C-alpha cells in the first residue's frame, strides 16, 4: 500500500497546481457519497524517461466508467495524455510511481443523484514500488464479506464507493494476519481479490472468472491473457469454487498496483508447492520484459515520456 507522500503537483480545476491547492470542500458530493470513478496507472522511471503502461486503455476504462455512472464527463485521449505529460514534467519523478486520475464532483449538495452535478477530472501522483509487502508470495483468505454485485453497483466502473466493500474485506484479512482477501460473489464463487484479478492453474488448464461476472476487467488481466494465449494456452472463463481454490496447482493475482504475484496459501492451505509456479513465473517475467521494452508488444503497450532537462511552462510553479 502506498503510504509515502503525494508528489508536489496535482491537476485540478483544469490546471496544474501545488497539491496543497488541490482540495475539495467537506460538503462536496463526492466526499459525502463516494461519487467518484478512478483509474490507477503505473509510471516506471528509466533514466530520464517515464514509461506508462496501456495509457489509452486506462483512459477508455475511465470514460466508460463515467458513462456507466451517468457522470456526464468526457475528455479526449489526446487531452488526457497531455495532462499526464504535464504532470510528469512538473513532478519530475525519480522512481516508480502511481498515477491516480479520478472524476469527482465538488457540488455541495445533500441528495443522492448525479443529475445537475458537475464532474471534473483530478490527477495526482504518488511514489509506489510494490503494493504488497510480501516478496515471497501472498497469504490469502477468502473473505466473509461478499463482493458487491454488478446488479447493485457497477463492478466495471472503478467507482470510489465500491472500494468500501474492498476495504472492509482487506481490513479483516490484514487483522487476521493475511496479505489480501479473495472475494466471493452471490453464487459463492471466487471472483477476484480486493484490488486484483485472479488466475488459477487447475488440472492442467488456466481458469479465470468470466468477464461478465462481478469482476473489474483488469488491464493487467487482459494483458496476461494475451501473453498466455500467444504462448498457446487456452484460458477457461469459468466460475471458480472454493474447493478449486484450495486444490489448484497455482494461483496468481494481477493488477496495476499488484503486478503479477503468486499466492503461497489460501486460508492456511498451501497452494501447489507453496512456491511460485511455472505459469506465474513465466507470466511475471514476460510482463516485466514488456515494461523493460524488450518484448515485441512493448511498443504498442508502453508510452514513453521524457523528463526534459529544462523546466518549461508545465512546471512554472517550481
Ligand atoms: N479488480 C479490482 C477490484 C481492482 O481494483 C483492480 C485494480 N485496478 C483490478 C482488479 C486490476 O485491474 P488493473 O489490472 O486494471 O489494475
Amino acid at each position: 500500500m502506498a503510504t509515502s507522500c503525494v508528489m508536489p503537483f496535482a491537476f485540478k480545476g483544469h490546471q496544474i497546481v501545488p497539491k496543497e491547492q488541490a482540495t475539495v470542500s467537506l460538503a462536496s458530493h463526492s466526499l459525502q457519497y463516494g461519487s467518484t470513478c478512478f483509474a490507477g496507472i503505473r509510471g516506471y522511471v528509466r533514466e530520464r524517461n517515464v514509461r506508462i503502461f496501456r495509457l489509452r486503455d486506462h483512459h477508455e476504462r475511465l470514460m466508460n466508467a463515467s458513462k456507466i455512472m451517468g457522470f456526464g464527463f468526457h475528455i479526449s485521449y489526446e487531452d488526457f495524455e497531455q495532462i499526464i505529460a504535464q504532470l510528469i514534467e512538473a513532478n519530475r519523478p525519480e522512481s516508480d510511481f502511481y498515477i491516480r486520475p479520478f472524476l469527482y464532483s465538488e457540488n455541495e449538495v445533500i441528495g443522492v443523484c448525479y443529475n445537475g452535478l458537475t464532474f471534473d477530472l483530478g490527477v495526482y501522483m504518488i511514489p509506489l514500488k510494490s503494493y504488497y509487502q510480501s516478496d515471497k508470495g501472498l497469504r490469502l483468505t477468502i473473505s466473509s464479506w461478499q463482493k458487491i454485485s454488478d446488479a447493485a453497483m457497477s463492478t466495471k466502473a472503478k467507482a470510489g464507493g465500491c472500494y468500501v466493500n474492498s476495504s472492509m474485506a482487506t481490513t479483516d484479512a490484514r487483522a487476521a494476519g493475511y496479505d489480501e482477501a479473495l472475494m466471493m460473489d452471490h453464487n459463492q464463487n471466487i471472483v477476484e481479490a480486493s484490488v486484483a484479478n485472479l488466475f488459477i492453474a487447475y488440472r492442467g488448464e488456466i481458469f479465470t472468472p468470466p468477464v461478465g461476472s462481478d469482476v473489474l476487467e483488469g488491464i493487467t488481466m487482459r494483458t496476461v491473457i494475451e501473453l498466455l494465449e500467444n504462448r498457446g494456452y487456452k484460458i477457461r472463463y469459468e466460475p471458480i469454487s472454493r474447493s478449486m481454490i484450495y486444490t489448484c496447482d497455482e494461483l496468481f493475482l494481477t493488477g496495476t498496483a499488484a503486478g503479477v504475484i503468486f499466492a503461497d496459501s489460501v486460508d492456511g492451505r498451501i497452494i501447489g508447492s507453496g512456491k511460485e509456479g511455472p505459469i506465474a513465473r513465466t507470466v511475471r517475467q514476460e510482463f516485466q520484459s514488456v515494461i523493460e521494452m524488450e518484448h515485441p508488444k512493448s511498443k504498442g503497450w508502453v508510452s514513453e515520456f521524457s523528463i526534459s532537462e529544462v523546466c518549461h511552462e508545465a512546471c512554472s510553479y517550481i
Side-chain angles (χ1 to χ4, degrees):
M1 201 180 300
T3 48
S4 44
C5 287
V6 171
M7 292 185 200
F9 293 93
F11 179 83
K12 179 174 188 276
H14 308 261
Q15 55 184 331
I16 309 276
V17 293
K19 69 170 182 188
E20 294 74 21
Q21 290 175 25
T23 55
V24 293
S25 154
L26 256 189
S28 64
H29 196 274
S30 289
L31 197 54
Q32 304 302 309
Y33 300 116
S35 41
T36 64
C37 286
F38 63 92
I41 307 171
R42 278 266 185 191
Y44 303 90
V45 179
R46 299 290 182 274
E47 307 199 340
R48 297 212 61 75
N49 278 341
V50 168
R51 295 179 188 159
I52 298 190
F53 187 61
R54 300 188 73 159
L55 186 59
R56 201 175 271 279
D57 296 294
H58 282 285
H59 166 264
E60 184 188 51
R61 188 169 66 188
L62 188 63
M63 292 305 103
N64 281 341
S66 174
K67 184 176 178 179
I68 294 169
M69 302 297 288
F71 284 176
F73 177 90
H74 183 79
I75 182 170
S76 70
Y77 175 70
E78 290 68 29
D79 289 348
F80 182 74
E81 186 188 38
Q82 201 184 357
I83 291 165
I84 302 295
Q86 287 180 352
L87 210 49
I88 289 171
E89 190 67 43
N91 280 319
R92 310 176 84 72
E94 288 176 354
S95 60
D96 292 356
F97 62 104
Y98 199 64
I99 307 170
R100 171 51 51 80
F102 60 102
L103 309 183
Y104 65 100
S105 166
E106 284 196 271
N107 291 98
E108 297 178 342
V109 177
I110 298 289
V112 286
C113 82
Y114 304 141
N115 313 49
L117 301 188
T118 305
F119 283 86
D120 220 332
L121 173 72
V123 190
Y124 69 87
M125 295 175 170
I126 188 163
L128 182 65
K129 288 213 155 61
S130 40
Y131 177 77
Y132 295 111
Q133 300 304 317
S134 176
D135 52 1
K136 52 181 174 54
L138 299 174
R139 296 181 68 231
L140 303 180
T141 182
I142 298 174
S143 182
S144 56
W145 292 106
Q146 186 176 297
K147 166 88 196 191
I148 45 158
S149 148
D150 204 80
M153 207 156 139
S154 173
T155 57
K156 302 283 184 269
K158 263 184 104 60
C162 295
Y163 286 81
V164 174
N165 179 235
S166 308
S167 300
M168 290 173 80
T170 315
T171 302
D172 284 1
R174 297 263 168 90
Y178 297 98
D179 299 309
E180 169 64 302
L182 294 176
M183 309 289 293
M184 275 188 182
D185 67 7
H186 56 287
N187 291 318
Q188 280 75 53
N189 293 312
I190 285 83
V191 279
E192 61 182 347
S194 72
V195 287
N197 293 110
L198 163 80
F199 289 81
I200 61 168
Y202 183 78
R203 297 199 200 287
E205 294 182 292
I206 302 175
F207 287 74
T208 196
V211 174
S213 63
D214 297 331
V215 291
L216 179 79
E217 227 178 317
I219 290 165
T220 322
M221 173 191 98
R222 285 164 51 193
T223 305
V224 163
I225 288 170
E226 203 171 323
L227 296 178
L228 284 168
E229 285 180 343
N230 284 346
R231 285 181 170 266
Y233 289 100
K234 199 171 168 314
I235 310 297
R236 289 187 61 174
Y237 299 89
E238 292 197 20
I240 298 176
S241 68
R242 184 172 205 134
S243 302
M244 288 169 79
I245 290 280
Y246 287 160
T247 58
C248 66
D249 300 315
E250 289 190 47
L251 188 162
F252 56 95
L253 304 181
T254 65
T256 300
V260 177
I261 184 160
F262 76 101
D264 59 16
S265 64
V266 181
D267 293 328
R269 277 84 166 173
I270 302 296
I271 301 300
S273 63
K275 302 208 166 68
E276 186 178 49
I279 299 171
R281 185 178 318 110
T282 303
V283 170
R284 179 178 55 74
Q285 289 172 345
E286 194 169 355
F287 184 71
Q288 193 57 35
S289 76
V290 173
I291 305 301
E292 301 308 334
M293 306 304 283
E294 292 159 356
H295 195 279
K297 284 278 181 187
S298 300
K299 264 204 152 37
W301 279 341
V302 180
S303 317
E304 290 202 270
F305 298 81
S306 65
I307 307 171
S308 63
E309 303 290 339
V310 199
C311 201
H312 37 241
E313 241 180 288
C315 51
S316 57
Y317 283 103
I318 295 176

